[in-house]
Amino acid sequence: MKSDFMTISQNERGAITAFRINNDPSKMNWVIDPTYLKSLEYHDLDKLFGEFNITINGKAYRSVDQSPKVVTSDLASEITYQLGQLKLVQHFELIDQSLRWRFTVTNHDSKEVTIDNLGLWVSLAYVMFRDKDVHRNANQSTAVFPSISKNYTKLAAVRRDNTKPNMGLYQLSGNVLSVGTFNEYTNRFFENVSPSLDGMLFHELFLPVATILISGPITTGFILKMRSK
């Protein structure tokens, strides 16, 4: 997807692998890059931006293990999963200077379904790179500051060198219970190198659990906006 303001790359499953602002001089990728993960032999492709975990009637599913239907255009993409009687849809759309992300779960059956867990990965580039390029570690990496609210959760993403542009992720509708963090790292203290601790943080949004969907179709979901600032 590409607009006048930003360019988004997605893999064959629809997960976002690159998020760049077109007029950014350094062309920073604002999400964790799977190519970099592979170079470090980190096995975290299930945590790319847009992947999710869900537990339905006590059974856990990972989106990375499914085969979604992906439909793309210049300004939008839609990724559809079918898990039993549940239809899960992610819709990304470039609007003005933002990326809108809508996630919905719909029950198309009259049988009750209980969602015990639902976590969506929003893996911004909170990375400490494994090289000696100090400028890269400062300019191509972001610190992420979550602010949790039932109706207006947001993540502020600020470059480590404090240069612009920066990024913000804002909840527009639905509910967010919490923001979780997973750390992947390598301890290199005894190698006498800098950085001695390299790795990255993956952030995950947790949506309301124990949601019972009956007499379908009934839909639950939320909308997020990622915007440069």
Side-chain angles (χ1 to χ4, degrees):
M1 296 183 291
K2 186 174 183 178
S3 68
D4 292 338
F5 187 74
M6 61 181 63
T7 300
I8 308 294
S9 298
Q10 295 170 274
N11 62 15
E12 68 282 356
R13 298 177 31 73
I16 294 180
T17 57
F19 186 115
R20 291 185 170 87
I21 300 169
N22 295 338
N23 63 0
D24 179 5
S26 66
K27 304 298 181 184
M28 175 176 171
N29 183 2
W30 284 90
V31 299
I32 288 180
D33 185 344
T35 303
Y36 184 66
L37 290 177
K38 184 177 180 180
S39 72
L40 302 182
E41 298 184 352
Y42 286 163
H43 305 288
D44 297 285
L45 295 181
D46 60 322
K47 302 176 186 67
L48 296 181
F49 194 109
E51 298 289 0
F52 63 88
N53 303 296
I54 188 171
T55 303
I56 305 170
N57 292 336
K59 183 176 180 180
Y61 297 88
R62 300 188 311 166
S63 61
V64 74
D65 298 324
Q66 311 303 315
S67 299
K69 177 183 177 182
V70 180
V71 178
T72 62
S73 64
D74 290 343
L75 296 177
S77 65
E78 187 169 275
I79 304 95
T80 304
Y81 299 82
Q82 192 70 45
L83 295 177
Q85 67 201 67
L86 293 186
K87 180 180 180 181
L88 298 89
V89 178
Q90 299 199 66
H91 183 81
F92 296 100
E93 186 176 9
L94 293 172
I95 300 176
D96 299 326
Q97 296 184 3
S98 70
L99 172 68
R100 300 288 182 98
W101 177 24
R102 184 173 70 249
F103 185 95
T104 59
V105 183
T106 305
N107 180 15
H108 288 287
D109 200 302
S110 60
K111 185 178 179 181
E112 284 189 353
V113 177
T114 301
I115 298 176
D116 304 301
N117 173 72
L118 178 53
L120 309 181
W121 291 103
V122 289
S123 301
L124 300 175
Y126 202 137
V127 181
M128 182 62 72
F129 293 100
R130 187 183 296 182
D131 58 39
K132 298 180 180 180
D133 189 340
V134 176
H135 180 264
R136 182 190 188 193
N137 267 309
N139 183 258
Q140 298 292 301
S141 175
T142 182
V144 178
F145 303 95
S147 176
I148 301 169
S149 168
K150 180 179 179 180
N151 299 313
Y152 191 57
T153 291
K154 55 185 179 292
L155 278 70
V158 182
R159 288 193 211 234
R160 294 184 182 279
D161 63 1
N162 203 32
T163 58
K164 294 182 179 181
N166 293 307
M167 187 73 63
L169 187 151
Y170 308 90
Q171 173 191 352
L172 298 181
S173 70
N175 296 322
V176 176
L177 296 180
S178 184
V179 178
T181 305
F182 178 86
N183 181 210
E184 185 75 89
Y185 70 94
T186 300
N187 188 345
R188 308 176 69 208
F189 180 79
F190 293 106
E191 298 179 39
N192 194 28
V193 296
S194 179
S196 60
L197 191 67
D198 74 67
M200 60 203 70
L201 297 181
F202 301 83
H203 288 83
E204 184 177 19
L205 298 180
F206 291 96
L207 301 192
V209 297
T211 302
I212 299 177
L213 311 176
I214 58 176
S215 302
I218 296 177
T219 299
T220 184
F222 81 115
I223 301 175
L224 283 174
K225 177 175 71 172
M226 290 185 67
R227 188 175 188 277
S228 172
K229 58 180 182 176

